[in-house]
Amino acid sequence: MQGKSADIREAINYMKTEVTELLGIEYPIIQGGMAWVAEYHLAAAVSEAGGLGIIGASSAPADWVREQVREAKKLTDKPFGVNIMLLNPNADEVAKVIVEEGVQVVTTGAGNPEKYMEMWKAAGVKVIPVVASVAQAVRMERCGADAVVCEGCEAGGHIGESTTMVLVPQVADAVSIPVIAAGGIADGRGVAAAFMLGAKAVQVGTHFVVTEESQVHENYKERILKAKDIDTKVTGRTTGHPVRALRNQMTREYLKKEAAGASFEELELMTLGGLRKAVVEGDVTTGSVMAGQSAGMVKEKMTCAQLIQKLNNEAEYLLKGTKIHE
């Protein structure tokens, strides 16, 4: 019995990383700050289960973010974060809410968080920008980031050009702060692979969309659960704003118009409000069903706690050289 206890302790310690220590979390698993999806129910459930839940501020006003933070605190006393899209016209106000409400972690995208660094650092906020290139990662380290999320183009939503497989090791070689891998990760094999590439944690989005605590429309969840390996499409490459989503009537029409040389304004009009339409209203035909290529690996619903345990346990066995099903 003593030997078995020692094995358990070894397994638990094995998944402790610079990121779990930095953020005060149990498992090196972060939930993506997906717009319209990552609200307080989901974020609190992930954090309560030992990961790091994230509230996605997207383009929301500061008052909405403040309410979300306060509601999350009613459900968990563990650390959670807020994702700020820096192109949000309300970004200045949301950045202040982070400090005023005592949020412990902020992830950022679509811009440079440098102007908020002094305020956040003075309040003890851990700042983790999402990057899609080595140059961005180096710049974020120089301006004081505590870690970076390296997101490959396998991810859902707005994407860069490099895959997770090539981006993570290059960033890990270029910076001294911890690297968190994102894009294409939906099971323990992805977690283990990310660690082998130099990551100290992973960020998962698509699989968390279909968890029991996720508030997205059931139609959206079912589309992900039924997705095959080739079911995502990237729209907007010609506009400089590529977005990965599950293929449907909207993506087919968009890609057809894009190939015909439609204007940026005409293409933008097609997707205006599309994500909300899919997530909230359940319109998975003309809405934007954002999801990563990992959707093809997501085959069952489970709670956030079950998913985190599954990811962690599978990764532990693989990293220790033991087959998952032994």
Side-chain angles (χ1 to χ4, degrees):
M1 194 69 183
Q2 185 177 357
K4 186 175 181 181
S5 297
D7 288 344
I8 292 172
R9 286 196 299 273
E10 181 184 356
I12 292 172
N13 291 335
Y14 194 83
M15 295 301 282
K16 294 298 182 186
T17 71
E18 294 172 47
V19 171
T20 59
E21 295 300 320
L22 174 71
L23 304 179
I25 57 179
E26 188 175 357
Y27 303 110
I29 298 167
I30 297 169
Q31 162 243 316
M34 302 161 283
W36 288 105
V37 174
E39 47 72 73
Y40 76 87
H41 293 93
L42 180 59
V46 172
S47 289
E48 190 66 14
L52 183 77
I54 300 288
I55 294 168
S58 185
S59 58
D63 287 345
W64 181 88
V65 177
R66 190 186 304 278
E67 181 183 9
Q68 289 281 308
V69 170
R70 291 180 177 179
E71 290 298 320
K73 286 181 177 180
K74 294 177 184 177
L75 299 177
T76 184
D77 58 1
K78 296 183 179 180
F80 63 87
V82 170
N83 173 266
I84 299 181
M85 184 182 72
L86 295 170
L87 290 178
N88 179 354
N90 305 304
D92 288 351
E93 290 75 23
V94 174
K96 292 175 184 175
V97 167
I98 299 300
V99 174
E100 292 166 359
E101 296 299 323
V103 175
Q104 298 182 37
V105 184
V106 61
T107 62
T108 68
N112 188 339
E114 190 167 359
K115 70 175 182 176
Y116 306 123
M117 281 293 190
E118 184 177 351
M119 175 178 65
W120 285 339
K121 289 293 185 180
V125 180
K126 302 296 188 296
V127 184
I128 307 177
V130 178
V131 301
S133 71
V134 172
Q136 286 180 329
V138 170
R139 184 177 180 183
M140 292 301 97
E141 181 178 34
R142 285 175 180 165
C143 77
D146 294 281
V148 289
V149 174
C150 293
E151 186 173 74
C153 62
E154 301 96 324
H158 296 272
I159 57 172
E161 288 295 325
S162 297
T163 65
T164 305
M165 179 69 77
V166 299
L167 180 62
V168 171
Q170 291 185 80
V171 171
D173 287 345
V175 300
S176 59
I177 55 178
V179 172
I180 299 161
I185 300 169
D187 61 17
R189 292 173 294 184
V191 178
F195 275 45
M196 295 301 290
L197 294 173
K200 301 299 182 182
V202 298
Q203 178 175 284
V204 175
T206 301
H207 209 322
F208 276 117
V209 175
V210 303
T211 54
E212 297 290 350
E213 295 91 345
S214 169
Q215 302 294 297
V216 308
H217 199 285
E218 286 300 314
N219 292 351
Y220 200 119
K221 293 184 180 183
E222 287 301 315
R223 280 301 314 274
I224 292 175
L225 290 168
K226 293 177 180 177
K228 300 188 294 293
D229 60 327
I230 58 171
D231 278 352
T232 67
K233 292 292 181 182
V234 178
T235 58
R237 289 195 187 278
T238 61
T239 69
H241 300 284
V243 173
R244 186 179 298 283
L246 292 178
R247 57 181 177 177
N248 59 5
Q249 180 182 317
M250 185 279 291
T251 61
R252 286 192 294 273
E253 292 178 359
Y254 189 109
L255 290 169
K256 185 176 180 180
K257 288 187 177 183
E258 191 173 13
S263 68
F264 174 78
E265 290 75 18
E266 184 179 356
L267 293 172
E268 280 292 287
L269 191 60
M270 286 188 65
T271 59
L272 190 64
L275 182 58
R276 184 190 184 282
K277 188 187 295 185
V279 171
V280 178
E281 300 172 15
D283 183 351
V284 294
T285 301
T286 63
S288 182
V289 189
M290 293 186 187
Q293 288 181 317
S294 64
M297 295 186 283
V298 179
K299 298 302 180 188
E300 60 179 326
K301 291 181 184 178
M302 58 186 76
T303 66
C304 289
Q306 289 169 335
L307 175 55
I308 289 172
Q309 285 296 324
K310 177 179 182 290
L311 294 171
N312 187 76
N313 293 345
E314 289 177 354
E316 279 182 350
Y317 280 120
L318 288 169
L319 291 168
K320 293 174 69 177
T322 306
K323 293 181 181 178
I324 293 176
H325 299 297
E326 276 189 346

